[in-house]
């Protein structure tokens, strides 16, 4: 599969990197200035590991898309590619003459995926939106604030859930469209809304908003230990019994507050409070070990450096070391394995426009003189 990747920042690059991880030939189409993430830290000798993580395995061509010759080049490439992914604001690709209707006329088999904050239609379609904006607009931040005791404002954020979720939905929709194309021979347009992706994650909250007034939902709170915190989630009747055994409190089984699942849900804070009396007598690692040995769902809270060294993740090859010219660094592999396919990040982090001349020569059969002219006129980097 060959992919024209017009994406930048995170949601789109996240989707197209997974396509590259599965073996697709992804050609990242950048402006002459390049994807802005190329300049974001952590930087080493002028190269961004953040960019490398999101764009490993892709080739790069840098074009001035305001130049008619650049658009002509893209239209030639479209005829030979299977997938086009873009995450501009709605209308930008149309101004370039590269909207779905225009390119589908060139290649009816093309799968065309657009990722945007609010989708391609509707009253907010033209609004600029990055992940933190979508977190606020979707209800996610307010829901999360209400789950925090005593919070008087939404939490400050730095993890871009909407980008990852939107990119994941785009990746999945592209697979479905490819399967449909195998049956029909026709491509199609995919319109991914990050807003709708976030709202779709709020399953309980969507229903509670329509049918309020029920019992308060049990919340999972960190339990303090002698040196940190542990998460304990005794959600099933069996988990509760295992918790009683692990903590040495069999009498909890006969406590009227905890006899049934409904009783435990109604008295959830009390149950966790008693569990915390026990965890306060242990280190986080010790508490996790004892609870896990008894079958209680649990985990100690860890920071990312500890996660990078996690034996479980290492055994699964969840990280792979790649090079970008400024040294090596670890990036995540896709979180799934396939018995009949190679699924892993490819060790290539392209410099801006690194493959442009090769693409024009090898794929469009341009001679060296024309390629040199395109560079001289500022159409190609």
């Amino acid at each position: 599969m060959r992919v024209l990747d017009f994406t930048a920042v995170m949601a789109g690059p996240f989707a197209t990197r997974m396509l590259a991880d599965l073996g697709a030939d992804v050609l990242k189409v950048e402006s002459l200035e390049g994807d802005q993430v190329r300049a974001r830290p952590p930087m080493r000798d002028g190269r961004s590991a953040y960019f490398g993580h999101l764009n490993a395995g892709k080739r790069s061509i840098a074009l001035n898309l305001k130049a008619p010759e650049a658009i002509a080049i893209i239209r030639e490439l479209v005829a030979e590619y299977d997938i086009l992914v873009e995450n501009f604001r709605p209308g930008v690709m149309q101004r370039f003459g590269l909207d779905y209707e225009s390119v589908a006329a060139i290649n009816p088999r093309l799968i065309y995926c657009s990722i945007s904050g609010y989708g391609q239609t509707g009253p907010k379609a033209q609004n600029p939106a990055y992940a933190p904006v979508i977190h606020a607009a979707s209800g996610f931040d307010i829901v999360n604030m209400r789950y925090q005791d005593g919070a008087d404002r939404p939490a400050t954020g730095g993890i871009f859930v909407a980008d990852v979720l939107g990119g994941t939905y785009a990746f999945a929709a592209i697979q479905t469209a490819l399967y449909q194309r195998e049956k029909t021979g026709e491509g199609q347009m995919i319109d991914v809304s990050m807003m709708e992706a976030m709202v779709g994650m709020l399953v309980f909250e969507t229903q509670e908003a329509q049918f309020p007034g029920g019992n308060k939902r049990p919340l999972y709170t960190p339990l303090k230990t002698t040196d940190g915190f542990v998460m304990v989630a005794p959600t099933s009747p069996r988990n509760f019994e295992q918790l009683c055994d692990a903590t040495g409190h069999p009498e909890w089984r006969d406590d009227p507050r905890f006899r049934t699942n409904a009783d435990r849900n109604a008295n959830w804070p009390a149950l966790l409070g008693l569990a915390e009396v026990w965890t306060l007598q242990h280190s986080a690692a010790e508490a996790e070990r004892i609870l896990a040995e008894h079958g209680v769902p649990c985990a100690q809270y860890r920071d990312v450096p500890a996660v990078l060294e996690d034996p479980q993740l290492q055994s699964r090859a969840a990280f792979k070391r790649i090079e970008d010219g400024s040294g090596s660094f670890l990036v995540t592999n896709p979180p799934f394995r396939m018995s009949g396919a190679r699924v892993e990040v490819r060790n290539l982090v392209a410099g801006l426009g690194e493959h442009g001349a090769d693409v024009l020569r090898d794929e469009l059969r341009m001679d060296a003189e024309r390629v040199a002219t395109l560079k001289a006129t500022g159409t190609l980097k």
Side-chain angles (χ1 to χ4, degrees):
M1 290 294 157
R2 304 175 77 186
V3 182
L4 281 173
D5 178 5
F6 285 84
T7 70
V9 189
M10 192 167 187
F14 192 91
T16 53
R17 210 213 84 177
M18 282 197 288
L19 292 171
D21 292 348
L22 287 177
D25 177 8
V26 180
L27 178 61
K28 186 175 176 73
V29 182
E30 301 184 67
S31 68
L32 298 182
E33 297 75 28
D35 186 336
Q36 62 181 275
V37 177
R38 285 186 180 273
R40 291 191 183 176
M43 303 287 294
R44 303 107 56 249
D45 297 328
R47 293 181 177 87
S48 167
Y50 189 4
F51 174 86
H53 190 129
L54 288 167
N55 293 283
K58 308 173 189 179
R59 298 183 295 157
S60 172
I61 184 172
L63 293 165
N64 175 13
L65 292 180
K66 296 179 181 178
E69 287 181 296
I71 300 303
I73 288 169
I74 294 300
R75 292 172 71 85
E76 285 188 67
L77 290 171
V78 160
E80 306 299 328
Y81 276 67
D82 299 283
I83 302 162
L84 186 153
V85 187
E86 61 92 10
N87 65 343
F88 290 114
R89 195 185 306 184
V92 171
M93 289 293 275
Q94 187 173 31
R95 290 198 293 274
F96 290 147
L98 299 173
D99 54 292
Y100 174 65
E101 288 73 16
S102 297
V103 297
I106 301 169
N107 181 359
R109 288 175 54 82
L110 186 72
I111 307 298
Y112 189 110
C113 180
S114 295
I115 307 169
S116 61
Y118 298 99
Q120 299 296 303
T121 60
K124 280 194 169 184
Q126 295 297 323
N127 286 22
Y130 290 106
V133 175
I134 297 301
H135 295 171
S138 66
F140 174 81
D141 282 344
I142 290 297
V143 164
N144 195 46
M145 181 188 74
R146 289 174 179 164
Y147 288 158
Q148 314 306 313
D149 291 337
D152 62 356
R153 68 169 62 197
T156 301
I159 300 174
F160 304 137
V161 178
D163 280 324
V164 173
L165 203 57
T168 301
Y169 275 115
F171 174 74
I174 288 167
Q175 312 309 311
T176 305
L178 286 169
Y179 181 79
Q180 185 172 340
R181 190 180 75 174
E182 290 300 303
K183 300 297 183 180
T184 67
E186 297 179 355
Q188 63 183 293
M189 163 81 175
I190 299 167
D191 173 3
V192 177
S193 160
M194 291 162 58
M195 173 77 157
E196 291 164 49
M198 288 297 293
V199 172
M201 190 169 65
L202 304 177
V203 178
F204 172 84
E205 294 77 11
T206 298
Q207 300 310 313
E208 185 185 43
Q210 299 173 80
F211 308 104
N215 293 330
K216 187 176 179 181
R217 187 186 192 189
L219 300 180
Y220 298 90
T221 59
L223 303 185
K224 193 170 179 57
T225 66
T226 59
D227 61 352
F229 296 91
V230 66
M231 170 55 66
V232 182
T235 57
S236 72
R238 178 61 179 148
N239 293 157
F240 168 67
E241 292 176 358
Q242 292 163 332
L243 177 66
C244 295
D245 294 338
T247 58
H249 287 285
E251 73 278 6
W252 291 353
R253 288 185 174 88
D254 299 319
D255 191 313
R257 296 173 296 174
F258 309 138
R259 279 180 184 156
T260 69
N261 206 50
D263 292 333
R264 289 190 292 276
N265 285 344
N267 296 282
W268 189 258
L271 176 60
L272 292 186
L274 290 173
E276 188 170 53
V277 171
W278 178 84
T279 61
L280 279 167
Q281 302 171 37
H282 303 274
S283 69
E286 186 181 30
E288 179 185 45
R289 178 183 59 77
I290 295 170
L291 291 166
E293 285 174 353
H294 285 81
V296 181
C298 65
Q300 61 178 305
Y301 283 73
R302 296 175 299 167
D303 58 17
V304 175
V307 171
L308 290 172
E309 302 295 330
D310 180 74
Q312 170 64 24
L313 295 175
Q314 290 182 350
S315 73
R316 294 266 302 167
F319 299 101
K320 183 177 177 180
R321 189 167 293 279
I322 63 172
E323 302 267 350
D324 69 352
S326 294
S328 68
F329 54 102
L330 293 172
V331 301
T332 52
N333 273 323
F336 54 89
R337 306 290 176 267
M338 299 172 66
S339 65
R342 176 187 172 195
V343 183
E344 64 176 353
V345 63
R346 271 45 174 184
N347 188 14
L348 167 67
V349 180
L352 176 60
E354 178 180 342
H355 302 94
D358 291 340
V359 168
L360 300 187
R361 283 193 300 262
D362 300 341
E363 298 182 25
L364 300 185
R365 303 293 186 265
M366 286 190 187
D367 58 36
E369 183 178 354
R370 187 178 175 194
V371 172
T373 300
L374 290 170
K375 287 188 175 183
T377 58
T379 302
L380 173 75
K381 182 174 176 64

